[in-house]
Amino acid sequence: MLDDKNFTKYLNRHEIDAAVQNLANRINTDYEGKEVVLVCVLKGAIIFTADLVRHLKVEHEVEFVRLSSYGKARTSSGTVTILKDIQADIRGKHVLILEEIIDSGRTLKFLFERLKSSGPASVEIVTLLDKTSKRVVDVPVKYVGRAIDDQFLVGYGLDLEERCRNLPDVYYLKYPN
Ligand code: IMP
Ligand code: MG
């Protein structure tokens, strides 16, 4: 399936590493001495989360949430449902939502509002990649690894119909069909 006709490298692993390290540095500075809960948005953010936490010096716990808005479609359907919720009590804690990519912002907006209503000290969003031109809802994204063009991307956690998440680099689909 990883055919050169369809996939072109967009970010190599070194560029990704640099972006992850940069985000970790900012978080280490901003959250020093605070109680942090990281909320990894399954499934796409698993690889980003695994890499980011290994650069973190701030104490933190990791939670997972799984939301559904895309199914197997390549564009957002706009409806968000919770498939798996976090387990930790986030009251009084500093929450960082970890996403690998933001497109319309609908998924994040929903999660952001929901977590905010549980009484945390703060909630901020960390995303490795941000398709800013695709945003349809206003959602505050404090930490962005890379702003990117409007391309359908795969690799480094990003899937094409549940495949290709394992690719160490990020590719874009030249001729999506
Ligand atoms: P949003 O609600 O439209 O912002 O959708 C965000 C979610 O859609 C991300 O967390 C990804 O799981 C998925 N997604 C958005 N763009 C891409 C892409 O280019 N490739 C793979 N998945 C994507
Ligand atoms: Mg995701």
Side-chain angles (χ1 to χ4, degrees), residues 117-173:
S117 69
S118 304
S122 68
V123 185
E124 298 292 353
I125 295 169
V126 184
T127 189
L128 178 64
L129 305 172
D130 190 359
K131 288 185 196 175
T132 46
S133 65
K134 293 288 291 288
R135 201 61 44 78
V136 299
V137 295
D138 195 23
V139 59
V141 186
K142 186 162 181 193
Y143 301 95
V144 176
R146 295 271 297 231
I148 55 164
D149 305 330
D150 173 18
Q151 302 279 3
F152 187 82
L153 303 175
V154 298
Y156 198 77
L158 292 157
D159 70 305
L160 172 60
E161 294 171 2
E162 294 301 330
R163 287 188 280 183
C164 300
R165 294 191 199 273
N166 60 314
L167 301 173
D169 308 283
V170 171
Y171 296 79
Y172 74 89
L173 274 187

Side-chain angles (χ1 to χ4, degrees), residues 93-107:
K93 298 197 177 156
H94 294 274
V95 176
L96 285 171
I97 300 172
L98 304 183
E99 254 293 20
E100 82 290 2
I101 196 164
I102 305 180
D103 188 285
S104 71
R106 287 191 180 103
T107 315

Side-chain angles (χ1 to χ4, degrees), residues 20-37:
V20 173
Q21 176 75 68
N22 187 267
L23 289 168
N25 292 346
R26 291 180 61 194
I27 294 166
N28 285 332
T29 302
D30 294 352
Y31 288 84
E32 199 184 342
K34 292 182 174 158
E35 266 194 274
V36 176
V37 180

Side-chain angles (χ1 to χ4, degrees), residues 56-96:
L56 289 183
K57 296 190 178 82
V58 290
E59 273 189 43
H60 62 272
E61 41 186 310
V62 185
E63 284 287 319
F64 296 90
V65 68
R66 185 155 175 225
L67 306 162
S68 169
S69 62
Y70 275 49
K72 285 198 167 183
R74 286 185 205 164
T75 53
S76 177
S77 66
T79 319
V80 183
T81 53
I82 297 181
L83 300 176
K84 187 223 171 295
D85 211 343
I86 61 167
Q87 254 90 59
D89 180 359
I90 59 170
R91 268 175 298 180
K93 298 197 177 156
H94 294 274
V95 176
L96 285 171

